[in-house]
Each structure stands twice: as C-alpha cells, then as structure tokens.
Amino acid sequence: MRLILVLSALAVASVNSAPVVVWSSLKGKECLHNSAKINASTAISEALEGHVDEENASSLDSVIFVVGRGDDGSESFTNLAASGKLPAVAQKYNDAHIVHHNVDQVESIRTIANAARDAVPSLPRNAIVEASLDEFNQKLSLKNEAVPEGRVTSQSEKHGRKRFRSLLNARVLVVKVAPEDADKLDDALVKAVDNVKSVVLTAIRSAKEVHLERKMTAAKHLEKMQTNAVNNRRRRLEDANFDDGYYQADEDMTGVYYVNMTPNILTGILFFILFTSVAITGISCLNMIQGQDVYVKKLPPVGREA
C-alpha cells in the first residue's frame, strides 16, 4: 500500500521518471529515500557494489528488472503500481534498501546493461546478460548444470546451446519485462529478493520525458557555446585599466535571440525568388513571339504583296 501511495503521489506531481528500487542482502533493513537527481549508471553502480562474488563463476549475484514502455510510450511501472497490479512488490517495498525517485538516462534496456558492465569492470562483458522473465526462472533452476554435448544438427539447436551457455555463466541478469506481464514480474521479483544478493527494479522512462531531457541538454549545450563565444571574442590590452564592468557589458546576452536563418541567407532566398520570377516571365514572353506560317521560294512583285 505504501508503494502505491508513493508512486501515485509521484504521478500526480507530474514526475514522469520511474523510481529505481534497490533490494540488498548486505545492507541494513531501513529503507532510504533519495529525491536528488542521480544518473542511472551511478544508481546501478551503487546497487552492484560489493555484491558480485568473483570466486563463484556460475552464481547469480544481481538481477535488474526493467519494465518496458506502454503502447502510448508512457512509463509503465508507476501505472502498474498505482493500479494495484503489483501486490507482491508492494509487500516487499518496505524491505528495500534504497529508493531513488529522480533517475535520468533510463532510456532502454541496453543503456542499463551497459551501465552494469561499466559498474563491474572486473567481470567479463558476457557475464552480464539481457534476458526475459522465462530465462530468469530458468537461471534460478540451474544448479551445476553442464552444457549438453553431442553433435549439433540444426541452427536452432546451436543457438539454444549458445544461449544456455550464456545463462549458465551469467552473473548479472538484466530482465526486460513487458507491461502486460505484471503477474509474472510480481512472482519473479519475490524469488529474486529471496535468492539473489542484489535486486533492482526500474522502468524505461516515457518517450515524452526522454524528448524533453534531450531538448534541455541541447539548450544547455547552446548556452555553453554562447558563453565560450563571448569569452573567445573578448580581448584585453596589457596596459589597459578597465574594470570588470567594462567587460561584463559584452557578456550581457539580454535581447539576443537565435533564429533559423541569417540575413544573408534570407537575402539569397529572396533574390532567388525574384530572379526565378523574372526568368519565367521573360521566357513566357519569348514564347509569345510569332512569325509567318507560310514560306515561298518566289516573292510577289513589288506593290502586290497583298
């Protein structure tokens, strides 16, 4: 119930980003809440820190559940929790180690997988595997299993053995969950919390939020370019005694606007339109000039042209 109330409040407050909930078997039982903005790679790095056992090469140390977007491009985790479709997650919510409420750059499951690989550079890159819910359940059931031997007779069998070997050696699973698989997610998360050292639950941010963030990033980049342009244009004489207010006048960007074209470009476009109009008019007039329709070899006598 507490999870539903918290996520509902986030939705009402127009916060589109999904929280990152972290369960840890090595931390205290008190649930911490962090509302400060944090990068997805930082949150994943903190969740995996100290949980990966490098000696046991086949143990599953961490699981990251990533809920996909809805059909309309919206973030699904908050909607599922607010609608009561994740009762087991709500019960486990109080046992979480920390909840990050403002996480950016959760744009795809590939982004989360790359963040996990960067967080544990000591692990081979193939030890962090993107998987489905069914493959996660299969990984939990694997106990000292061996890859089937024998001759491969088909391409599908070869792919199956390769995938089985990847799951067998996986240390961290990044599980993508479709919004319609809420029931499976509920059961899988309970199993993960009870059997895995570190469990992370998050969701891909809405397409609208990603678009707005990229727009804000572009605006900050433009502002930085403006500042650099002003600083590069400013020159100081060695023997000049100007105070800082003299130079701050050049840094004042009030009333400066950036348009999609310069006056020179607009002049060129207008000239092209004028030139094209004159050329079409002239060619049309030339086409209206007519000559005689009948040509004869012997001209009529003078005075009898009619």
Side-chain angles (χ1 to χ4, degrees):
M1 180 59 69
R2 183 179 178 186
L3 172 64
I4 297 175
L5 294 178
V6 172
L7 296 182
S8 300
L10 290 174
V12 173
S14 68
V15 178
N16 295 323
S17 59
V20 173
V21 187
V22 180
W23 288 268
S24 174
S25 61
L26 305 180
K27 306 292 183 179
K29 294 299 182 180
E30 182 181 0
C31 183
L32 305 177
H33 293 268
N34 178 27
S35 59
K37 186 175 183 180
I38 186 174
N39 191 281
S41 59
T42 304
I44 297 300
S45 178
E46 293 178 355
L48 299 182
E49 182 180 2
H51 294 85
V52 178
D53 185 7
E54 298 183 1
E55 296 181 358
N56 192 350
S58 61
S59 65
L60 180 61
D61 298 320
S62 298
V63 181
I64 304 174
F65 294 98
V66 184
V67 183
R69 293 193 184 104
D71 295 335
D72 56 350
S74 62
E75 183 266 311
S76 301
F77 177 34
T78 305
N79 298 330
L80 292 175
S83 60
K85 295 182 179 180
L86 300 174
V89 175
Q91 293 178 0
K92 290 290 184 179
Y93 182 79
N94 294 330
D95 298 333
H97 165 58
I98 188 171
V99 180
H100 299 285
H101 296 281
N102 190 3
V103 183
D104 60 353
Q105 295 186 357
V106 187
E107 300 181 359
S108 65
I109 189 172
R110 183 61 55 84
T111 304
I112 300 299
N114 291 335
R117 294 185 178 98
D118 295 337
V120 192
S122 59
L123 285 181
R125 297 187 67 87
N126 58 1
I128 300 175
V129 180
E130 301 174 20
S132 62
L133 283 174
D134 294 337
E135 290 176 333
F136 163 73
N137 294 325
Q138 181 182 2
K139 173 62 178 178
L140 286 183
S141 62
L142 294 177
K143 300 293 184 180
N144 298 324
E145 297 287 342
V147 181
E149 298 180 356
R151 184 177 180 181
V152 179
T153 58
S154 63
Q155 190 69 22
S156 59
E157 185 179 356
K158 180 180 179 180
H159 176 75
R161 289 190 180 184
K162 182 178 180 181
R163 189 60 181 174
F164 182 83
R165 186 180 295 107
S166 300
L167 291 176
L168 187 63
N169 298 326
R171 310 291 301 281
V172 179
L173 285 184
V174 183
V175 183
K176 185 175 182 180
V177 183
E180 54 270 16
D181 294 335
D183 296 338
K184 295 182 179 180
L185 171 62
D186 225 26
D187 298 335
L189 188 133
V190 173
K191 294 180 182 178
V193 173
D194 294 338
N195 296 280
V196 184
K197 298 178 182 178
S198 174
V199 180
V200 180
L201 176 60
T202 185
I204 300 176
R205 305 166 73 191
S206 65
K208 181 179 179 181
E209 185 186 4
V210 172
H211 175 73
L212 291 176
E213 183 180 6
R214 291 177 179 175
K215 191 175 181 180
M216 292 176 60
T217 303
K220 291 180 180 179
H221 181 67
L222 178 60
E223 182 180 0
K224 184 177 180 181
M225 291 178 60
Q226 295 174 6
T227 304
N228 293 336
V230 171
N231 294 335
N232 293 334
R233 187 172 63 249
R234 185 178 64 185
R235 297 187 300 172
R236 293 194 179 191
L237 300 178
E238 295 181 357
D239 57 348
N241 294 322
F242 297 132
D243 56 4
D244 293 336
Y246 177 84
Y247 298 102
Q248 290 177 358
D250 288 340
E251 297 180 0
D252 186 11
M253 303 299 292
T254 304
V256 178
Y257 299 93
Y258 288 83
V259 295
N260 294 326
M261 67 177 63
T262 63
N264 292 336
I265 296 177
L266 180 60
T267 302
I269 294 176
L270 295 177
F271 176 78
F272 175 77
I273 295 175
L274 176 62
F275 177 80
T276 304
S277 302
V278 173
I280 293 176
T281 302
I283 295 174
S284 300
C285 292
L286 289 176
N287 290 333
M288 295 176 63
I289 299 177
Q290 295 182 356
Q292 60 186 25
D293 298 333
V294 179
Y295 297 90
V296 296
K297 295 182 179 180
K298 183 178 180 182
L299 299 176
V302 179
R304 295 186 177 183
E305 291 83 354

